[in-house]
Amino acid sequence: MINNAMTLEEAIQQRRSVRGYKPDPIDQETLDSIFTSAQLSPSNCNVQPWQVLLATGEACQILKDKMHHAFMHGQNMNPDFSGLPKFEGNMRTRQVECAQALYGAMGIARDDKIARMKATARNYQFFDAPHVAFITMKKDFSPAIAVDVGMYAQTLMLLMTSHGIGSCAQASTAYYPDIVREFFELDNDMGILFGISFGYEDKTVDANQTRTTRAPLSQIIHHKK
Ligand SMILES: Cc1cc2nc3c(=O)[nH]c(=O)nc-3n(C[C@H](O)[C@H](O)[C@H](O)COP(=O)(O)O)c2cc1C
């Protein structure tokens, strides 16, 4: 049943990254409603530069198996777009706190490299989600167009929240783009920015106890009057 009686504010407050899912797929009517509304996202000149590769059921399982195999066998990562920079200052602090929140929830000690590796490997099983959506745009598009795609992705995830569906954006799933490209027969000029795993949250999974914080506005807003 579609339940989108939530206010936007409530959806923003409730959305968080979900890293453990029930196997139940989302019905087609709900998927159609969510992806139709997400199309209302704004973009430069309304070009709607995003292309979404959506895998469900067996397709999702095949991609999971291939990606997990690639990760566990140390296959070379070759993302289409450059990855994360070396963060410094406040951003480095937030990055460390984010990892501590996740590993803390999972009961993983800071120096337990094997447990951390296993936790990272969960990314490549899409945290058992029944669906994954790879968000793509043309490889030669600049950050000016990537912002359109980011807006689309957040709209999509908030819509999912409003329908009681959990999600996790995953840059990690863009590190083996050839697997996705081959599976979806994606043109070579298209690049994979990130995947979004989604489905109904399994609240018994430890990782889902993770709670992140946000910087105070004094670190973010530079307001002159
Ligand atoms: C573009 C993007 C990529 C991300 N990649 C990953 C990822 O690969 N693995 C992961 O577990 N979380 C990933 N995250 C989730 C962030 O860690 C998470 O959004 C952040 O810690 C804030 O927590 P919250 O989403 O629960 O509010 C990603 C988030 C974004 C927006």
Side-chain angles (χ1 to χ4, degrees):
M1 195 186 99
I2 293 176
N3 168 25
N4 49 5
M6 206 179 272
T7 66
L8 176 61
E9 186 83 26
E10 285 167 342
I12 291 167
Q13 299 281 351
Q14 286 186 25
R15 189 218 55 81
R16 56 184 168 72
S17 294
V18 169
R19 299 184 179 90
Y21 294 87
K22 295 179 181 168
D24 317 62
I26 292 149
D27 64 80
Q28 191 61 48
E29 186 195 356
T30 304
L31 285 177
D32 289 346
S33 164
I34 288 170
F35 283 98
T36 300
S37 293
Q39 275 304 111
L40 296 172
S41 302
S43 56
N44 277 280
C45 310
N46 199 26
V47 295
Q48 304 154 61
W50 47 82
Q51 286 285 303
V52 179
L53 310 175
L54 177 59
T56 292
E58 199 188 329
C60 188
Q61 188 61 50
I62 291 169
L63 287 169
K64 257 179 226 179
D65 291 345
K66 285 180 188 276
M67 278 210 192
H68 191 247
H69 185 271
F71 179 77
M72 296 310 280
H73 289 80
Q75 192 177 304
N76 188 38
M77 294 174 169
N78 61 333
D80 291 327
F81 298 96
S82 53
L84 298 185
K86 196 172 180 302
F87 293 114
E88 292 173 353
N90 277 345
M91 293 188 198
R92 175 65 188 154
T93 306
R94 294 173 200 152
Q95 184 181 33
V96 170
E97 284 173 358
C98 166
Q100 284 170 344
L102 176 60
Y103 295 136
M106 296 177 80
I108 297 173
R110 196 175 167 79
D111 56 356
D112 190 344
K113 288 198 174 115
I114 292 176
R116 288 176 74 129
M117 198 275 280
K118 280 187 185 162
T120 302
R122 294 275 301 144
N123 276 282
Y124 300 99
Q125 293 168 316
F126 312 147
F127 305 115
D128 300 327
H131 307 271
V132 64
F134 289 96
I135 310 297
T136 76
M137 69 172 191
K138 278 190 79 181
K139 281 181 187 167
D140 60 1
F141 281 167
S142 69
I145 303 301
V147 294
D148 295 342
V149 185
M151 288 190 193
Y152 170 79
Q154 169 71 334
T155 304
L156 187 64
M157 291 195 293
L158 288 176
L159 282 160
M160 288 177 181
T161 304
S162 78
H163 284 263
I165 295 163
S167 64
C168 186
Q170 292 180 262
S172 47
T173 60
Y175 296 163
Y176 301 110
D178 299 341
I179 293 173
V180 182
R181 183 167 285 108
E182 188 187 23
F183 189 75
F184 281 98
E185 298 175 35
L186 183 66
D187 288 346
N188 263 330
D189 64 348
M190 294 295 292
I192 294 154
L193 283 160
F194 55 98
I196 300 177
S197 297
F198 65 97
Y200 296 108
E201 178 177 353
D202 181 345
K203 292 188 193 294
T204 66
V205 172
D206 287 344
N208 286 338
Q209 301 309 314
T210 308
R211 295 294 179 273
T212 53
T213 58
R214 292 298 186 272
L217 290 190
S218 58
Q219 290 179 14
I220 306 291
I221 310 290
H222 308 277
H223 188 180
K224 286 197 179 191
K225 290 183 185 169

